[in-house]
Amino acid sequence: DQGRKILAQIVRSLGGHLDLGRSMTNTDSLTLSEAMNESSVNSDLDYFLEGNSYAIDNIFGFGLPTQMPVQGFISQKFSEDHIFPDRSHRGLDIAGKTGSAILAAASGRTVFSGWTPYYGNCIIIAHSDGYLTFYGHNQLNIKTVSMEVLKSEPIAMLGNSGNSSAPHLHFEIWKDGVPVDPMEFVRMDLD
């Protein structure tokens, strides 16, 4: 129930609507708790790994969003203004070429794939340990709701949809309903 409330709050902040009471016959959304339960490690594996913290850390670390989602340059960084919250920028803007592949930052399951007034075509993926990643202003969403995705798998194409002045990806990472700086997670290839 808490997961559904967090997901509804996040979708509302993106300008969308998620009715907490509606049945899952509508394919526009999947609850966070359902996505996490369906992608959780099964009980046989839990028993097998009991006491093996190294193996558990490696398996659940696979869901940590460390993949840079698109090639390009960072045009705006994460910032949070506690005095004037409307001035906050809760993600990274990564400018790039229209039509470039947007990759999943980690393995997980899509919980939203659709249109929002501000972010245009947007995808939200639930990952293990309470992480969500957001990919906005897409030209085209490749993945639909409730699809399993692997880390580095193409999920969308970079675009300029919604309230956007130039082609870029708006990328956010949330942990337990709180936005965090993606630069603390993604690996930058420094050649």
Side-chain angles (χ1 to χ4, degrees):
D1 191 43
Q2 180 67 19
R4 292 182 83 187
K5 289 178 183 176
I6 290 170
L7 183 59
Q9 178 183 7
I10 293 167
V11 170
R12 273 196 307 277
S13 74
L14 295 172
H17 177 73
L18 177 65
D19 184 357
L20 291 178
R22 93 173 153 213
S23 70
M24 290 312 294
T25 57
N26 183 330
T27 60
D28 288 344
S29 60
L30 179 72
T31 67
L32 178 59
S33 59
E34 288 168 334
M36 297 313 291
N37 286 338
E38 289 179 25
S39 63
S40 65
V41 177
N42 68 38
S43 58
D44 292 338
L45 188 56
D46 285 341
Y47 176 76
F48 177 74
L49 295 174
E50 189 173 330
N52 189 341
S53 62
Y54 178 78
I56 292 170
D57 288 346
N58 279 315
I59 287 171
F60 287 101
F62 189 65
L64 196 65
T66 58
Q67 170 70 48
M68 183 57 98
V70 72
Q71 288 186 349
F73 66 92
I74 296 172
S75 59
Q76 189 170 1
K77 292 184 177 181
F78 178 93
S79 66
E80 199 157 23
D81 189 327
H82 297 286
I83 297 172
F84 300 103
D86 291 342
R87 294 183 186 170
S88 295
H89 187 259
R90 296 187 170 128
L92 292 179
D93 284 350
I94 307 167
K97 184 177 177 185
T98 300
S100 297
I102 297 172
L103 310 176
S107 296
R109 182 179 296 268
T110 57
V111 293
F112 181 85
S113 179
W115 178 266
T116 65
Y118 189 79
Y119 291 112
N121 289 317
C122 177
I123 289 184
I124 302 174
I125 301 175
H127 309 281
S128 62
D129 202 24
Y131 285 99
L132 290 172
T133 52
F134 297 73
Y135 310 81
H137 302 303
N138 307 333
Q139 179 183 39
L140 174 71
N141 292 346
I142 297 171
K143 299 297 182 181
T144 59
V145 171
S146 142
M147 292 181 80
E148 289 187 31
V149 296
L150 297 175
K151 184 175 187 171
S152 303
E153 184 177 356
I155 58 168
M157 295 170 63
L158 188 133
N160 194 26
S161 63
N163 187 3
S164 172
S165 58
H168 73 284
L169 169 66
H170 178 78
F171 174 61
E172 295 185 14
I173 299 175
W174 289 55
K175 169 71 168 134
D176 298 326
V178 177
V180 295
D181 186 353
M183 292 300 290
E184 295 178 10
F185 292 86
V186 296
R187 291 181 306 203
M188 302 291 292
D189 292 327
L190 301 172
D191 294 327

